[in-house]
Amino acid sequence: MKLWIITGSATDDGAPIYLQTGARWTRTLSAAEPVADDQPQHKLALLEAARAQQRIVCDPYPMEVRRGSDGELAPISLREKIRAEGPTILRVGAPTSRPTAVSA
Amino acid sequence: MYRYDHYDQTIVDQRVAQFRDQVSRRLSGEISEDEFKPLRLQNGLYMQLHAYMLRVAIPYGLLSSRQLRKLAEVSRKYDRGYGHFSTRQNIQYNWPRLQDVPKILAELATVEMHSIQTSGNCIRNTTSDHLAGVARDELVDPRVYCEIIRQWSTFHPEFAFLPRKFKIAVTGAPTADRAAVRVHDIGVRVVPDPEGGDDYGFQILVGGGLGRTPRIAQVCREFLPREQLLSYLEAILRVYNRHGRRDNKFKARIKILVGALGIAEFKGQVEEEWAQIRDGAMTLTQAEFDRVAAYFQDPDYAELEPSDLFVDSLKLGKDRTLGRWVASNVIGHKIPGYSIVMVSLKPKGKPPGDATAEQMELVADLADRYGFGRVVVTHEQNLVLPDVESRHLPEVHAQLSASSLAEPNVGKVTDIIACPGLDYCNLANARSIPIATEIGERIDDLDYLHDLGDISLNISGCINACGHHHVGNIGILGIDKQGEEFYQLMLGGSSSDDASLGRILGPAFPRAEVVEAVATVLRTYIDQRESADERFLDYVRRAGFEPFKERLYGDA
Ligand code: SF4
């Protein structure tokens, strides 16, 4: 069954934030309150709770997550993964993944 | 360069005060994000994946060393110590906090900078040839007209809510388009009088653009007398404002209107509109031209011996590092004894167009020490030191080199234009920057790089085409296939005088294969070109796609 959490961008710095229990916001994705597909009313209620906090959050929306083997919530899409972890730029080109140079 | 008068400064200062109030109301919750969004966008403030992004206007890419130092200072004080120079000759900060943005704008206002009209459906920063004012092949300095257009278009009440954003580019060199005028909503080309008179005028192109419906601009008027520039632009904007589609964002650009009406009908409507306003208040008088042109007079150049032979000797000299750099990053200046230095912002392994605060400060220092305190941002995301005495080239090279700013790759395949892509952008399908950096890593043999010759390579993270992939000799477009990053390769694009749109080569490549695919394209060209004189683009135009397809996809 699909799992969802509510996310949006923090008004003060635009960073991704996630709704946790008690309608509070966290910057740690794994601390968010998940809601399953079979609880559509609860999902809607969470979204409403998020929208009511427009001073703190911009454009909240539900995002799909999964539970990893360690039991932690993790994003599914690459977009949300990058959003949660930051730009990937500094990690690319690591020696192990770097292709060998072209020669003429 | 242009200096603010009392009115300019007052307008910009008032705008900062107004935005400070809007920000404080947003932070206190008095206004919602929905209410705030149009206000922040009017001040160049976007929301990206990780943070706000502030886009600051650099009119036609021209900066004083003082302004560049301020940009560096802002990046250090309010951001993460770097800025990103964009394909519209602007700078973007990727990490400002909302409460700091009014402070940033106030600081920028002290050096006559702002972020007005860097977003929204208005006339954006007019872009130009990065060699304006110093190019040998220039007929007229286009910056004078860019500035005239800037003053006309800033806060123009009639054009504050156009159907869609609107981009104008001007080139003053009749035979070398370095401003990509054919892929702009309006392209303005300085041309000599076709009747053979002494004066010059403009060829006006309209309806070019990239994005999801790429188009090469068409000629709207072959020759426009120069005093009529603003009246004619106004006529075009009026026709567009009246008939451009507002019901569908994806069909709202002027290129769609020109396509729907046909160029003959569009032109007819423009001429009709123009007939009513030409010779009116918008006629550019000689006095007005002179007023603006006075800001763009040549600096106090020394009388020097011609230096072309000396520059050639550096190219062929024993110091191969210096020689390669001079060959690819130094351009002949219109004044004897001077050179134009291209500062590459594409060092290996770094995001194209990014510069740290320290790098910006170094370039500002070099501009003061070896030039006249001027720096230019190119739409290819590099910087230019336009006025270096050729005898100083070795010193300038050494100092740039020490700060990773002397990669000898300007115009080469690793001088990649790339949009921010999925690493920053909310609209992206795929990442652009890692593809660019990996291609840079892959082609790390400098002899091979230079043997490849001039090749443009452009990457966009989605169909919006901010990386101008349609006009790269090699274009790469990131797409999303069921949650996976894939990349389409295009070949044959050009944004220059011989402008053309690239065509898709074949099925898209997965993330892990695209860099190798580019390497294969390059190897195919090297193996099959007629001679080293046959440019990549010419080879593609001559040989077509088959040789590439064969190697990339097996049986084509
Ligand atoms: S091309 Fe797409 S991904 Fe790249 S910056 Fe533009 S909107 Fe973002």
Side-chain angles (χ1 to χ4, degrees), chain B residues 438-454:
Chain B
E438 285 177 33
I439 290 171
E441 302 277 348
R442 182 78 168 82
I443 319 252
D444 77 343
D445 178 331
L446 284 175
D447 286 330
Y448 181 63
L449 179 71
H450 283 246
D451 188 27
L452 285 166
D454 288 351

Side-chain angles (χ1 to χ4, degrees), chain B residues 496-524:
Chain B
S496 197
D497 294 285
D498 56 354
S500 56
L501 299 172
R503 286 182 300 116
I504 296 171
L505 191 56
F509 294 92
R511 166 79 174 81
E513 292 172 22
V514 64
V515 174
E516 188 53 41
V518 170
T520 303
V521 164
L522 296 174
R523 265 198 312 270
T524 307

Side-chain angles (χ1 to χ4, degrees), chain B residues 419-422 425-430 432 459-467:
Chain B
C419 79
L422 192 54
C425 177
N426 241 331
L427 305 171
N429 287 326
S432 305
I459 312 176
S460 303
C462 82
I463 195 70
N464 287 323
C466 303

Side-chain angles (χ1 to χ4, degrees), chain B residues 473-484:
Chain B
N473 297 168
I474 300 173
I476 302 180
L477 168 65
I479 54 177
D480 176 347
K481 272 194 185 179
Q482 289 158 345
E484 297 291 319

Side-chain angles (χ1 to χ4, degrees), chain A residues 5-82:
Chain A
I5 60 173
I6 307 296
T7 183
S9 302
T11 300
D12 60 353
D13 62 2
I17 52 176
Y18 307 95
L19 194 65
Q20 59 180 1
T21 321
R24 286 176 304 117
W25 292 92
T26 173
R27 294 190 175 220
T28 310
L29 189 152
S30 58
E33 178 184 353
V35 54
D37 250 358
D38 62 354
Q39 298 173 285
Q41 290 305 331
H42 187 45
K43 185 175 163 191
L44 204 61
L46 287 181
L47 194 56
E48 286 306 313
R51 285 191 180 134
Q53 300 189 54
Q54 54 87 14
R55 190 182 69 76
I56 298 171
V57 67
C58 303
D59 299 329
Y61 60 92
M63 68 173 260
E64 197 183 342
V65 290
R66 63 179 168 77
R67 271 204 195 281
S69 48
D70 54 0
E72 296 277 297
L73 292 175
I76 290 179
S77 73
L78 180 62
R79 177 186 191 277
E80 291 300 347
K81 192 169 151 50
I82 292 175

